[in-house]
Amino acid sequence: MAMTGERLPYLCDRLQAFGGASVFAEMSALAVRTGAINLGQGFPDTDGPAAVAEAAVEAVRGAFNQYPPGIGYPVLRQAVAEHQRRFWGLEFDPDTEVLVTAGATEAITAAILALAGPGDEVVTFEPYFDIYPADISMAGAERRLVQLRPPAYTFDPDELAAAFGPRTRMLLLNSPHNPTGKVFSPDELDVIARLCVEHDVIAVTDEVYEHLVFDDNAHVPLATRPGMADRTVTISSGGKTLSFTGWKIGWVCARPELVRAVQAAKQLLTYVSGGPFQPAVAVGLRLGDDFFDGLAADLQARRDLLCDGLSAAGFEPVVPQGTYYITADIRRFGASDGLEFCRSLPERCGVVAVPVQVLCDDKAMGAPFVRFAACKRPEVLEQAVERLAVLASR
Ligand code: PMP
C-alpha cells in the first residue's frame, strides 16, 4: 500500500514500509469529512451489465455455493480461454493452463510468492501499482525499478537492460499501466521480451485494464511477443472489464508447469473463492463486441471531459492511452509536492486526488504529479470540473 510512513507496533520489519494507513484511505476519509468528490480511488460508481448480475443471482440460487474446484469452475476457465483467443489470439488449455484466483491481486501475489524468493530480483517499473513492492518484499525478494519518465512515460532501454542481472528472476509488467495510463507499444514490449529471453527470466503481466484502451492505441499482451508464450504468466480479472470490482474474480494463464507453481502458492492463500461469481464472470467474458467497444468509448469520453476540465483549471494533464486514470502536473500552480497538494485540495475546491509520489521509490520524480480517476458518472465528473475551475480563478 502507498504509505504515510508511521511505524506499527507488532508488524514485522519486512512489512513496516507497507503497513501504515494508506494515502488512498487518508484521501477517501478526507473526501467523506469534507464532502468532496472522490476522484482518488479507482472504482466505477455504476455497476456492470444486468445480465452478468442476474447470472450471479441465479448461481447463488443454483449449484455454485460450495467450494469450487481448486483451479476454478470449468465454465469460467473455458470462458477465459475463449476470451484470450477471441481478443488476443492466445491459446490456453482451459484444463491445465488457466487458474481462477481471488482477483488479480491474489494472482499477482501468488505468482510472486511462487516464483521469486530471497536472493532473487524482480524488475518492474515506477510509478507502480502499490501492491508490487509489498508483494516482492513478502516473497523476500528485491525490486529493481526502471523509471517511466513523465510526461510521455517512456523508459530508457539501456536503463532496463542494466536492471537485468544474474539474480533477476522475474519481470513484472503492468500494461495498460496504473497510474500513468500508458499502454506499452509493440516496440517497447519487444525490448522487454528480448531481455527476458536473453536472461531466461519469467514475465508476470498484470492486464486488468486490457479493455480500457483509447484512440488508436491497442493492448498487446507480452505473451504474444517472440519467445514469450512459454515464459509469461498472464494475469487479468473481471473487476475493471465488467465493472464489478467487489467480486474479485481473477485469473492466471500460462503453460501448465507455471500454472501449477502459481497454484501451489494460491491454494495456501485463499484455496478458492467467489463461487457464484465465477459463472457470472463467464457470462460477462462472452458478451458481444458491442459491450467491449462501448466500454472503451464510454470511458474515453469521460477521460476527455476530465482532461479538458483539468486543463481549464490550470493543470497540465498527461492524456492517458488507457485505464481509469489521468495524471496531472501541478507545477503551474506553483506547487511541487503532490502529497501536500492533495491534502489541501478538498478544502480548496471539494475534489480528492492521490499523489503519484506514494507510488514511486524516487519521490522527486513523482512529486509534481497527482492522479485523478475518470471512472465516475459524467454528471459527477462535470461537477468535479466545475469545482476544479475555482483553482483557475485564484
Ligand atoms: N492491478 C492493477 C494495476 C490495478 O489497478 C488493480 C486495481 N486497482 C488490480 C490489479 C486489482 O485487481 P483485482 O481487483 O482484480 O484484484
Side-chain angles (χ1 to χ4, degrees), residues 42 102-106 108 129 132 174 178 206 208-209 237 239-240 245 248-249 325:
T105 302
E106 188 197 33
I108 296 159
F129 178 46
Y132 297 173
N174 171 216
N178 173 11
D206 174 352
V208 298
Y209 298 101
S237 79
K240 310 287 154 64
T245 56
K248 299 294 281 188
I249 300 295
Y325 307 107

Side-chain angles (χ1 to χ4, degrees), residues 39-371:
L39 302 185
Q41 257 175 346
F43 59 90
D45 56 358
T46 46
D47 286 345
V52 177
E54 273 314 309
V57 172
E58 258 173 50
V60 169
R61 294 213 175 99
F64 291 92
N65 294 307
Q66 305 308 324
Y67 292 135
I71 55 170
Y73 281 118
V75 64
L76 177 55
R77 286 186 277 112
Q78 184 71 46
V80 167
E82 277 171 26
H83 170 277
Q84 296 288 36
R85 183 183 311 121
R86 170 179 162 197
F87 288 99
W88 319 124
L90 288 168
E91 295 291 337
F92 294 103
D93 179 339
D95 292 330
T96 57
E97 298 186 318
V98 180
L99 169 68
V100 176
T101 57
T105 302
E106 188 197 33
I108 296 159
T109 306
I112 294 173
L113 287 174
L115 303 172
D120 294 334
E121 290 179 355
V122 176
V123 175
T124 192
F125 295 90
E126 71 172 334
Y128 39 65
F129 178 46
D130 59 355
I131 70 168
Y132 297 173
D135 283 348
I136 295 165
S137 274
M138 275 200 275
E142 283 166 44
R143 60 186 180 271
R144 291 291 305 266
L145 297 174
V146 176
Q147 297 193 334
L148 297 174
R149 291 215 180 82
Y153 295 121
T154 45
F155 65 89
D156 175 349
D158 292 337
E159 210 176 295
L160 182 65
F164 279 74
R167 292 167 59 203
T168 310
R169 191 62 185 264
M170 180 189 294
L171 176 285
L172 176 57
L173 177 71
N174 171 216
S175 182
H177 184 264
N178 173 11
T180 64
K182 175 187 176 67
V183 177
F184 282 70
S185 71
D187 286 349
E188 289 175 318
L189 294 172
D190 285 343
V191 169
I192 295 168
R194 271 197 299 276
L195 286 164
C196 289
V197 171
E198 188 187 320
H199 292 269
D200 194 17
V201 158
I202 300 292
V204 173
T205 65
D206 174 352
E207 305 183 15
V208 298
Y209 298 101
E210 61 193 322
H211 288 291
L212 303 181
V213 172
F214 315 132
D215 308 317
D216 297 333
N217 300 290
H219 172 62
V220 178
L222 186 61
T224 62
R225 309 318 290 174
M228 295 309 289
D230 293 345
R231 63 172 69 249
T232 302
V233 176
T234 303
I235 290 170
S236 192
S237 79
K240 310 287 154 64
T241 297
L242 301 174
S243 301
F244 287 112
T245 56
W247 287 10
K248 299 294 281 188
I249 300 295
W251 48 87
V252 168
C253 296
R255 293 296 166 246
E257 52 280 18
L258 280 168
V259 164
R260 280 199 301 272
V262 177
Q263 193 193 353
K266 181 264 182 301
Q267 71 192 357
L268 301 171
L269 295 171
T270 57
Y271 174 47
V272 290
S273 64
F277 296 122
Q278 294 191 20
V281 169
V283 169
L285 292 181
R286 289 173 167 148
L287 288 170
D289 289 348
D290 51 336
F291 166 74
F292 293 93
D293 295 343
L295 181 76
D298 185 44
L299 195 61
Q300 183 172 322
R302 298 180 203 202
R303 173 203 67 172
D304 291 343
L305 199 169
L306 189 52
C307 274
D308 290 348
L310 288 168
S311 297
F315 290 89
E316 268 182 274
V318 181
V319 179
Q321 299 166 319
T323 79
Y324 284 166
Y325 307 107
I326 300 168
T327 56
D329 195 324
I330 57 173
R331 280 174 287 199
R332 278 211 210 139
F333 298 107
S336 56
D337 180 346
L339 184 55
E340 223 172 74
F341 187 87
C342 287
R343 281 179 171 148
S344 71
L345 199 60
E347 294 286 344
R348 289 169 69 195
C349 72
V351 174
V352 163
V354 292
V356 172
Q357 75 215 65
V358 300
L359 307 171
C360 299
D361 281 16
D362 180 350
K363 303 297 176 204
M365 181 180 75
F369 290 86
V370 300
R371 189 196 78 177

